[in-house]
Amino acid sequence: MYKLNNIYKSYDNDKTFVLNNLSFEFQKGELIAIIGKSGSGKTTLLKILATLNKPTKGFYIFDEKNLEKLSNDELAEFRNKHIGIVFQEYNLIGNLTAEENIILPTIFNKKQSNNYKVNEIAEALGIKSLLNKKANLLSGGEQQRVAIARAMINDPELVLADEPTGNLDNDNANQLFAMLKKLNNLGVTVITVTHNLEFAKMFDKIYELKNGQLGLYK
Ligand SMILES: Nc1ncnc2c1ncn2[C@@H]1O[C@H](COP(=O)(O)OP(=O)(O)OP(=O)(O)O)[C@@H](O)[C@H]1O
Ligand SMILES: [Mg+2]
């Protein structure tokens, strides 16, 4: 069970709250989309779920663990181990190969990566032939698959994606969903934030972020 409890987040000394007493509970293995207008706080929320941002007030329970008590270093280690993040701009390192990008998170993890693991993920995402290519030579859709592979390499239990269809056409958006679904079928909890309702409708559950709070979208 994961839980955001009475979360507030402001950026300007509590004058306005982007997240305003937001509570949200989800279970292991869920496949969730969060929609909301531009500026509603989707990225802010995702960063809190990713432990990249701390809430101004409120706490985050991650699989029974209260993250409030962890130091920044402990939090970084925790994140690296348990959470995979696909950023909107993918954040790949251009002059490294796809494979080097994919194994990057394992360098900070005590768990050793192995070729078998990279190959297995690359196979599942259909990017085996790209592994030795420099990331800056890949197309947008290819970069995205590499970013997903990187998010998967440490066997996270939670994968978070921010606006992943941003630059994709419909075909690629469908493929992207198929990949997230595949991950989900392996037991990974998946949460995607998007302004794209059509995309969101493919997910098991849709929540809407509005007025700083999250409610089920009907
Ligand atoms: N680091 C920051 N400092 C100050 N204000 C910020 C910061 N990050 C976000 N904001 C403000 O918080 C609000 C929510 O931003 P956020 O990026 O979470 O929205 P969003 O729903 O992801 O929007 P979009 O759909 O355009 O990506 C916006 O008004 C934004 O200007
Ligand atoms: Mg955003």
Side-chain angles (χ1 to χ4, degrees):
M1 186 266 291
Y2 309 80
K3 194 172 183 178
L4 290 178
N5 211 66
N6 302 109
I7 296 286
Y8 292 80
K9 179 71 187 176
S10 72
Y11 290 109
D12 54 359
N13 297 323
D14 299 354
K15 268 190 240 114
T16 50
F17 286 94
V18 177
L19 305 180
N20 198 354
N21 199 16
L22 178 151
S23 291
F24 177 41
E25 200 177 304
F26 55 101
Q27 309 296 327
K28 226 172 225 176
E30 288 206 79
L31 179 64
I32 294 173
I34 294 174
I35 57 166
K37 296 208 172 85
S38 178
S40 60
K42 298 183 299 298
T43 297
T44 302
L45 173 61
L46 197 91
K47 283 185 174 165
I48 288 176
L49 288 167
T51 74
L52 288 165
N53 263 353
K54 286 191 171 171
T56 310
K57 260 196 287 181
F59 59 88
Y60 183 12
I61 305 279
F62 190 105
D63 198 14
E64 323 298 334
K65 199 174 165 77
N66 188 346
L67 300 183
E68 204 179 29
K69 301 195 169 68
L70 299 187
S71 69
N72 284 342
D73 282 355
E74 289 169 331
L75 209 51
E77 195 183 328
F78 181 86
R79 183 187 315 128
N80 182 264
K81 233 185 197 160
H82 298 280
I83 305 175
I85 309 165
V86 184
F87 295 97
Q88 185 171 8
E89 306 80 13
Y90 316 134
N91 293 359
L92 299 180
I93 298 177
N95 60 358
L96 295 185
T97 65
E99 177 161 12
E100 288 163 342
N101 271 282
I102 293 169
I103 64 173
L104 218 48
T106 66
I107 294 169
F108 306 104
N109 195 327
K110 295 187 183 78
K111 219 174 359 175
Q112 279 294 308
S113 79
N114 55 49
N115 291 337
Y116 171 74
K117 183 79 187 293
V118 175
N119 278 320
E120 189 188 38
I121 294 174
E123 178 91 56
L125 297 178
I127 54 170
K128 262 185 118 163
S129 62
L130 304 178
L131 286 177
N132 293 318
K133 257 191 156 178
K134 288 264 159 68
N136 56 14
L137 301 178
L138 301 175
S139 75
E142 290 169 344
Q143 286 183 46
Q144 182 164 55
R145 261 164 265 174
V146 172
I148 294 173
R150 185 182 54 184
M152 291 166 66
I153 193 74
N154 281 338
D155 285 325
E157 57 186 271
L158 174 63
V159 165
L160 301 164
D162 193 356
E163 221 51 277
T165 60
N167 307 310
L168 297 183
D169 57 28
N170 275 345
D171 272 1
N172 271 310
N174 289 339
Q175 270 185 35
L176 169 68
F177 177 77
M179 279 176 235
L180 294 175
K181 178 80 184 159
K182 214 182 257 181
L183 254 185
N184 181 245
N185 286 340
L186 297 172
V188 178
T189 310
V190 176
I191 301 183
T192 298
V193 306
T194 177
H195 61 268
N196 183 339
L197 181 59
E198 288 312 307
F199 183 65
K201 281 182 177 162
M202 298 186 223
F203 288 70
D204 292 345
K205 262 191 196 167
I206 307 176
Y207 288 87
E208 184 175 23
L209 184 55
K210 208 168 146 183
N211 302 324
Q213 298 193 345
L214 211 48
L216 261 183
Y217 178 85
K218 298 196 182 83

Short mmCIF file of all heavy atoms in Angstrom, two decimals, residues 92 97-99 101-102 125 127 130 135 138 141-151:
data_model
loop_
_atom_site.label_atom_id
_atom_site.label_comp_id
_atom_site.label_asym_id
_atom_site.label_seq_id
_atom_site.Cartn_x
_atom_site.Cartn_y
_atom_site.Cartn_z
N LEU A 92 18.35 11.39 -21.38
CA LEU A 92 19.44 10.46 -21.69
C LEU A 92 20.73 11.26 -21.86
O LEU A 92 20.69 12.46 -22.15
CB LEU A 92 19.15 9.70 -22.99
CG LEU A 92 17.91 8.83 -23.00
CD1 LEU A 92 17.75 8.16 -24.36
CD2 LEU A 92 17.94 7.80 -21.88
N THR A 97 26.16 5.36 -25.20
CA THR A 97 25.32 4.47 -26.00
C THR A 97 24.03 4.19 -25.23
O THR A 97 23.93 4.47 -24.03
CB THR A 97 26.00 3.11 -26.26
OG1 THR A 97 26.16 2.44 -25.00
CG2 THR A 97 27.34 3.27 -26.95
N ALA A 98 23.07 3.62 -25.95
CA ALA A 98 21.80 3.25 -25.32
C ALA A 98 22.09 2.33 -24.13
O ALA A 98 21.55 2.53 -23.03
CB ALA A 98 20.91 2.55 -26.33
N GLU A 99 22.96 1.33 -24.34
CA GLU A 99 23.25 0.38 -23.27
C GLU A 99 23.87 1.07 -22.06
O GLU A 99 23.50 0.80 -20.91
CB GLU A 99 24.17 -0.73 -23.76
CG GLU A 99 24.55 -1.69 -22.65
CD GLU A 99 25.09 -3.03 -23.13
OE1 GLU A 99 25.37 -3.15 -24.34
OE2 GLU A 99 25.21 -3.93 -22.30
N ASN A 101 23.49 4.12 -21.14
CA ASN A 101 22.42 4.86 -20.46
C ASN A 101 21.57 3.94 -19.61
O ASN A 101 21.21 4.28 -18.48
CB ASN A 101 21.53 5.57 -21.49
CG ASN A 101 22.03 6.96 -21.84
OD1 ASN A 101 21.84 7.90 -21.06
ND2 ASN A 101 22.68 7.08 -22.98
N ILE A 102 21.26 2.78 -20.18
CA ILE A 102 20.36 1.85 -19.47
C ILE A 102 20.97 1.36 -18.16
O ILE A 102 20.29 1.24 -17.15
CB ILE A 102 19.99 0.65 -20.39
CG1 ILE A 102 19.12 1.14 -21.55
CG2 ILE A 102 19.26 -0.44 -19.60
CD1 ILE A 102 18.92 0.12 -22.66
N LEU A 125 11.52 -4.71 -24.99
CA LEU A 125 11.14 -3.40 -25.52
C LEU A 125 11.47 -3.24 -27.01
O LEU A 125 11.24 -2.19 -27.59
CB LEU A 125 11.83 -2.28 -24.72
CG LEU A 125 11.47 -2.19 -23.23
CD1 LEU A 125 12.26 -1.08 -22.56
CD2 LEU A 125 9.99 -1.93 -23.03
N ILE A 127 14.46 -3.14 -28.50
CA ILE A 127 15.53 -2.18 -28.77
C ILE A 127 16.92 -2.84 -28.77
O ILE A 127 17.93 -2.15 -28.64
CB ILE A 127 15.53 -1.02 -27.73
CG1 ILE A 127 15.58 -1.56 -26.30
CG2 ILE A 127 14.33 -0.11 -27.93
CD1 ILE A 127 15.82 -0.47 -25.25
N LEU A 130 19.53 -1.41 -30.95
CA LEU A 130 19.93 -0.02 -30.69
C LEU A 130 20.99 0.10 -29.61
O LEU A 130 21.53 1.18 -29.36
CB LEU A 130 18.71 0.80 -30.22
CG LEU A 130 17.49 0.83 -31.13
CD1 LEU A 130 16.39 1.65 -30.48
CD2 LEU A 130 17.85 1.43 -32.48
N ALA A 135 23.05 7.67 -27.85
CA ALA A 135 21.68 8.12 -27.57
C ALA A 135 21.29 9.33 -28.42
O ALA A 135 20.13 9.46 -28.82
CB ALA A 135 21.54 8.46 -26.09
N LEU A 138 19.43 8.59 -31.70
CA LEU A 138 18.16 7.85 -31.68
C LEU A 138 16.98 8.79 -31.95
O LEU A 138 17.02 9.98 -31.61
CB LEU A 138 17.96 7.19 -30.31
CG LEU A 138 19.04 6.20 -29.87
CD1 LEU A 138 18.77 5.72 -28.45
CD2 LEU A 138 19.13 5.02 -30.84
N GLY A 141 11.02 8.31 -30.35
CA GLY A 141 10.39 7.08 -29.86
C GLY A 141 11.42 6.08 -29.33
O GLY A 141 11.19 5.40 -28.34
N GLU A 142 12.58 6.02 -30.03
CA GLU A 142 13.65 5.11 -29.59
C GLU A 142 14.24 5.57 -28.26
O GLU A 142 14.48 4.76 -27.36
CB GLU A 142 14.75 5.04 -30.66
CG GLU A 142 14.30 4.31 -31.92
CD GLU A 142 15.28 4.46 -33.09
OE1 GLU A 142 16.16 5.36 -33.06
OE2 GLU A 142 15.15 3.69 -34.05
N GLN A 143 14.43 6.87 -28.15
CA GLN A 143 14.96 7.42 -26.88
C GLN A 143 14.02 7.08 -25.74
O GLN A 143 14.44 6.77 -24.63
CB GLN A 143 15.09 8.93 -26.96
CG GLN A 143 16.24 9.41 -27.79
CD GLN A 143 16.34 10.92 -27.77
OE1 GLN A 143 16.25 11.56 -26.72
NE2 GLN A 143 16.50 11.51 -28.94
N GLN A 144 12.74 7.16 -26.03
CA GLN A 144 11.77 6.89 -25.00
C GLN A 144 11.86 5.45 -24.51
O GLN A 144 11.79 5.17 -23.32
CB GLN A 144 10.39 7.16 -25.54
CG GLN A 144 9.35 6.95 -24.48
CD GLN A 144 8.09 7.56 -24.91
OE1 GLN A 144 7.61 7.25 -25.98
NE2 GLN A 144 7.55 8.44 -24.11
N ARG A 145 12.02 4.52 -25.47
CA ARG A 145 12.14 3.11 -25.09
C ARG A 145 13.39 2.89 -24.24
O ARG A 145 13.38 2.12 -23.28
CB ARG A 145 12.18 2.22 -26.33
CG ARG A 145 10.82 1.63 -26.62
CD ARG A 145 10.72 1.08 -28.00
NE ARG A 145 10.14 2.08 -28.88
CZ ARG A 145 10.02 1.94 -30.18
NH1 ARG A 145 10.45 0.86 -30.78
NH2 ARG A 145 9.45 2.89 -30.88
N VAL A 146 14.46 3.58 -24.61
CA VAL A 146 15.70 3.46 -23.82
C VAL A 146 15.47 4.02 -22.41
O VAL A 146 15.92 3.45 -21.41
CB VAL A 146 16.87 4.19 -24.53
CG1 VAL A 146 18.10 4.23 -23.64
CG2 VAL A 146 17.19 3.51 -25.85
N ALA A 147 14.73 5.13 -22.34
CA ALA A 147 14.44 5.72 -21.02
C ALA A 147 13.60 4.77 -20.17
O ALA A 147 13.80 4.66 -18.95
CB ALA A 147 13.71 7.05 -21.19
N ILE A 148 12.69 4.05 -20.82
CA ILE A 148 11.89 3.07 -20.07
C ILE A 148 12.77 1.91 -19.61
O ILE A 148 12.67 1.46 -18.46
CB ILE A 148 10.72 2.55 -20.93
CG1 ILE A 148 9.73 3.70 -21.20
CG2 ILE A 148 10.00 1.39 -20.25
CD1 ILE A 148 8.63 3.36 -22.16
N ALA A 149 13.66 1.47 -20.50
CA ALA A 149 14.59 0.39 -20.12
C ALA A 149 15.42 0.82 -18.91
O ALA A 149 15.64 0.05 -17.97
CB ALA A 149 15.49 0.03 -21.29
N ARG A 150 15.89 2.06 -18.94
CA ARG A 150 16.70 2.57 -17.83
C ARG A 150 15.87 2.59 -16.53
O ARG A 150 16.36 2.28 -15.45
CB ARG A 150 17.21 3.97 -18.15
CG ARG A 150 18.16 4.52 -17.09
CD ARG A 150 18.62 5.93 -17.41
NE ARG A 150 17.48 6.81 -17.64
CZ ARG A 150 17.58 8.08 -18.01
NH1 ARG A 150 18.77 8.61 -18.23
NH2 ARG A 150 16.50 8.81 -18.20
N ALA A 151 14.59 2.94 -16.68
CA ALA A 151 13.72 2.98 -15.50
C ALA A 151 13.49 1.57 -14.94
O ALA A 151 13.13 1.41 -13.78
CB ALA A 151 12.39 3.64 -15.85
#
